[in-house]
Amino acid sequence: MEKNDDKLNSPGYEIPSELQGQVAVTTLDRLYNWGRRSSVWPMMFGLACCAIEMIAAQAARYDMARFGMEVMRPSPRQSDLLLVSGTVTKKMLPIVVRLYNQMPEPKYVVAMGACASGGGPFKEGYNVVAGIDKFLPVDVYIPGCPPTPQALIHGMIKLQEKIDRQSIKKVRWYQEGADQVAIPEPILGPDLIDPRKLPQIKQVAKKG
Amino acid sequence: MYGKGILKGLGVTFKRFWDTYFDDIVWLFRKGKRYHSPEGIAHRSSKDTRGIFTIQYPEEKLPVPEEFRYTPFLVYEEGENGEKELRCTACGICSKACPPQCIWIVRASDPETGKPLKTPAEFFIDIDVCMNCGMCAEFCPFDAIRMDHDYELSVYNRANNIHNLERLAKPVSYYAEIRPINYGKEMAVKQAKEAAKASKAD
Amino acid sequence: MTIPVSTETLDLAAKFPGIVTPDEREGYSGWIVKADELAAFAASLRDDLGYDFLSSVTGVDYLPEKKLEVVYHVYKTTGGPGLVFKVQLPRKKPEVPSLTPVYPGADFQEREAWDLLGIKFTGHPDLRRILMWEGFEGHPLRKDWKEPFYEEDIKPYSSRWPEGKHSYAEDRNPFNDNVQFPKQFDPEKWVPEGDAALYGALAEYRTTDEDGLDTDHIVVNMGPQHPSTHGVFRAVITLDGEDIVSMKPVMGYLHRNHEKIGERNTYLHNMPYTDRLDYFCSMTNNHGYALAVEKLTGIEVPERTEYIRVIMDELTRIQNHFILIGMLLNDLGAYFTPALYAFEERELILDIFEAVAGSRMMCNYFRFGGVARDVTPEILEKVSALAFDRLPRKADEFDRLLTENEILVSRCKGVGRLSSEDAIKYSMSGPSLRASGVPYDIRKADPYSIYDRFDFDVAVRYNGDTYDRYLIRLDEIRQSLRILQQAIRQIPEGPIQTGKSTYLTKTPAGESYGRIEAPKGELGYYLVSNGTGNPWRYHVRAPSFINITALESMVVGGKIADFVIVFGGIDVVLGEMDR
């Protein structure tokens, strides 16, 4: 496809020839998405090995500032993107979910690396969550262990493409009742308790 | 003098700042393209790099070294009629050498006699478990499984992250392209073996 | 052939009759001590024999013999080989006196043994779970404890071949997830234990009346999501105004069950897993592990390989220290400039790792008795360009940029002081120990590989504050460059692997402890083999984990604002701390 900057000025309608090059015509969706895609602020939040590659991608050589992603916010209240960079353990999961719940809409989740996507090499471990998508809605998965900075940036470009395709009419955060959407926080019991699965846990544990 | 240390440090940062633009000008006059050119990238990755260090992915890509490993793939030879002849014999060594045990192989068997055949019927690699360690490729006795260079694998849905035989199979020409030195070495060994066999037969 | 753990020729059995007996099992060494007399024995070891440095405490579950064993490794900070002693306990109700009064460095390690193996240390001041949470069911490293995704006792799993139809582990679990619950567990009636025990371990709340105003201590939770905790570390701090009264670290947020997985793995399977311990320094992690297995199997390492190993180790050390300095300055508020400069050098070093080993961070490069592939002349040329030209220049540049900076000096000098006695007491190792004036470097004190051939100095600083911990990193970078330069000049041609590297390594029964001077401190691997292809016990003595023992004594009395730089100065990595 054409370059992203051109998209902004090609709304899909025909522009009279005398106006071409003089006015910028675009759709509200494109303007809205252009603004958001160019300022995705990730949360300054590293979990494991992948976090180091995330820092490397932020550093001089790969420089995510070129995509408007250099402002890493230490607070979830100011972030647009939760980069799950590494193994999510059961002990850490309630905190990750809480951070996600604290982020304001619009928010995105990127699962960086094999561990965040599906448990990775540590999947069989007793303290490991086999994929953050069991709890959070993941927008982009980046395979690799760890993904190299270039692979991470490729994932970020994919995320931008996803943002580009969204329509202001349909996005989740402008729907009714969107503010109340929160993911129930898991509880640390004898093992990790997912509140959404309470009946199943009770039933299966009874059978023994 | 108080503040001397800070000034000294600022001198270092100023020099870095100066180098950035100075080098741009030097490249402009003497050598040619500093950005979007292989020699520019090579210079920015060499010991003499100073000033701008950024590789502007995705417009320019940092070339990966031959030994770079990402996900595994299966090598197949292209037959005369275009059929794919997998090098894999379904011996199972890669699945045993795999540390997180993410390789699953179903060995093919003869439909009539039921005897196992030297080819896989199905082959799965769970990319969400794979740790890119390269053990499978290292211990494969048939040069059949190798590590890929392609790292642009991001997806919106991970249901397809179980790579199956179809997804994993890549032609030997692709392998020769990404790992020319290794490919050359393996071919030399193979040819030597075949020559030895031929001389024995004589 | 098994090379026994090097010990002094001491007859402890004669010195402590009736208390100590030699460990005479095949492949084992050291002494077995009676549990009741352990504290007196250890005190005598420390005071009379000079074994002042407790390196490692861990437990082994000998399920077939129905025994639990606690294994202690002690060394002298003046150098020389170490000493191993063990206490054997019944599997039911195992209790052993805590060694924290003698060696305070045993604190966290004993808590770990309690958490993972269920060994009770009587007299321990704060015996809580450390890696898992309070209320977790079972002690995971017991051999009869099985995880929810348990498949088979050891790898390779038989389901992978020849009938390896892919299936998700979730589908085999009754809860369709990585969880298991005790029988008759009712989540509605169950009450969570929470953090009551943790807060109870802090110094008491105190309400006083000063000038007619009620003053009170407050508790601050830093982390696990905090930009300056270098990962998912959590510190619970009690404050009196801005002064720290008490501090308890909480870890385990990145506990990835390294040891449990490691005991299912074959020996070689563990090699790429060690990469993920201290993910800045995968090469040194590989080295320590390779050393431990080579001790167990008695494989010799070819000459060229030893040089390659040293080159990789020292490159790792240099990039680690550069990053540490950059990150420390980040913590100080010098946002990004020093860190960005540091990452530039690291990228150049990682380019070499990528060309040699195939991956930037997860090198998986060492094999037992060798390395995965040879270093080509072109790569060696690149290394020497860095070692002779670029890195010395850049070390000097960092020196100019930071060392005299008045802000850095005033923030770091005198902050987080740790005396040399305390450093030894708390089993501190690595640069932080040497910054406290103890010239203890395993490369000199108990040389491994070929470090005895190189001419280099052990960097020491004497004030034991954060400024010295910064300076010693620069010193060590320069010493590492010296080693690197010698190694590049001397590296011989030759084979890189003894025998053939196979994916199945069988080892004779026995134990071994391989330790190296990793960039962060003493990295040790304790292995117990029962003669098969999989380790019976696989324990990592992680420097980040044990160095944190001293953190409380370093920050108490200081300001809360200084906590982050004291923590940053110790240099920890969470992957290694929590394993």
Side-chain angles (χ1 to χ4, degrees), chain C residues 419-491:
Chain C
S419 69
S420 49
E421 293 80 26
D422 280 352
I424 295 171
K425 218 170 75 181
Y426 284 112
S427 298
M428 189 72 120
S429 59
S432 305
L433 175 68
R434 294 190 284 275
S436 290
V438 184
Y440 182 70
D441 185 326
I442 301 170
R443 291 174 294 174
K444 280 267 195 224
D446 186 12
Y448 57 96
S449 190
I450 48 164
Y451 275 107
D452 46 355
R453 294 185 201 170
F454 299 111
D455 177 29
F456 70 101
D457 300 319
V458 175
V460 200
R461 295 270 169 176
Y462 295 94
N463 294 322
D465 56 5
T466 305
Y467 189 62
D468 274 11
R469 271 175 230 128
Y470 155 74
L471 286 175
I472 203 157
R473 262 57 184 229
L474 273 182
D475 298 343
E476 287 203 359
I477 289 173
R478 294 195 169 115
Q479 295 304 327
S480 287
L481 285 170
R482 271 176 78 187
I483 300 174
L484 209 49
Q485 290 166 355
Q486 292 169 48
I488 293 166
R489 284 205 194 96
Q490 295 168 11
I491 184 167

Side-chain angles (χ1 to χ4, degrees), chain C residues 169-332:
Chain C
E170 283 89 334
D171 298 339
R172 293 197 307 269
N173 182 291
F175 303 97
N176 303 109
D177 204 351
N178 190 6
V179 291
Q180 61 190 7
F181 295 98
K183 263 184 199 171
Q184 302 298 331
F185 171 70
D186 188 347
E188 281 150 23
K189 287 185 193 140
W190 165 85
V191 190
E193 287 194 32
D195 280 346
L198 164 67
Y199 293 121
L202 290 163
E204 285 280 301
Y205 264 55
R206 178 171 55 89
T207 312
T208 53
D209 191 328
E210 282 172 24
D211 311 329
L213 288 171
D214 274 350
T215 59
D216 207 342
H217 288 180
I218 56 168
V219 175
V220 175
N221 268 289
M222 267 181 89
Q225 193 264 333
H226 188 279
S228 66
T229 53
H230 299 230
V232 285
F233 177 77
R234 172 175 164 205
V236 186
I237 305 170
T238 324
L239 290 176
D240 179 7
E242 283 202 21
D243 297 326
I244 298 176
V245 178
S246 157
M247 195 281 308
K248 289 285 167 203
V250 188
M251 35 199 144
Y253 292 101
L254 192 54
H255 178 47
R256 298 190 279 196
N257 330 119
H258 193 89
E259 291 175 11
K260 186 79 177 174
I261 295 174
E263 286 165 19
R264 302 228 185 282
N265 283 348
T266 66
Y267 284 97
L268 192 65
H269 283 164
N270 274 333
M271 189 61 84
Y273 277 97
T274 62
D275 292 341
R276 286 149 180 88
L277 280 170
D278 173 358
Y279 28 74
F280 276 109
C281 315
S282 59
M283 288 287 191
T284 47
N285 296 344
N286 282 186
H287 197 167
Y289 180 59
L291 214 64
V293 177
E294 281 156 11
K295 269 188 184 175
L296 204 57
T297 51
I299 306 177
E300 295 280 323
V301 183
E303 190 79 356
R304 182 176 172 83
T305 302
E306 292 282 24
Y307 277 93
I308 294 174
R309 286 180 173 188
V310 167
I311 290 172
M312 293 306 155
D313 277 10
E314 296 310 315
L315 281 175
T316 305
R317 199 181 313 277
I318 292 168
Q319 60 93 8
N320 179 74
H321 286 354
F322 268 126
I323 294 297
L324 172 98
I325 295 171
M327 286 301 180
L328 180 67
L329 267 288
N330 239 10
D331 291 346
L332 274 170

Side-chain angles (χ1 to χ4, degrees), chain B residues 60-79:
Chain B
E60 49 181 28
K61 287 180 185 174
L62 192 67
V64 290
E66 169 153 354
E67 292 300 343
F68 178 75
R69 51 184 150 82
Y70 214 66
T71 52
F73 70 97
L74 292 172
V75 184
Y76 69 80
E77 314 266 358
E78 285 147 307

Side-chain angles (χ1 to χ4, degrees), chain B residues 180-199:
Chain B
I181 300 172
N182 278 312
Y183 177 74
K185 271 188 208 160
E186 284 158 18
M187 286 314 279
V189 171
K190 238 179 220 175
Q191 275 161 4
K193 259 188 195 164
E194 269 163 28
K197 230 185 207 174
S199 67

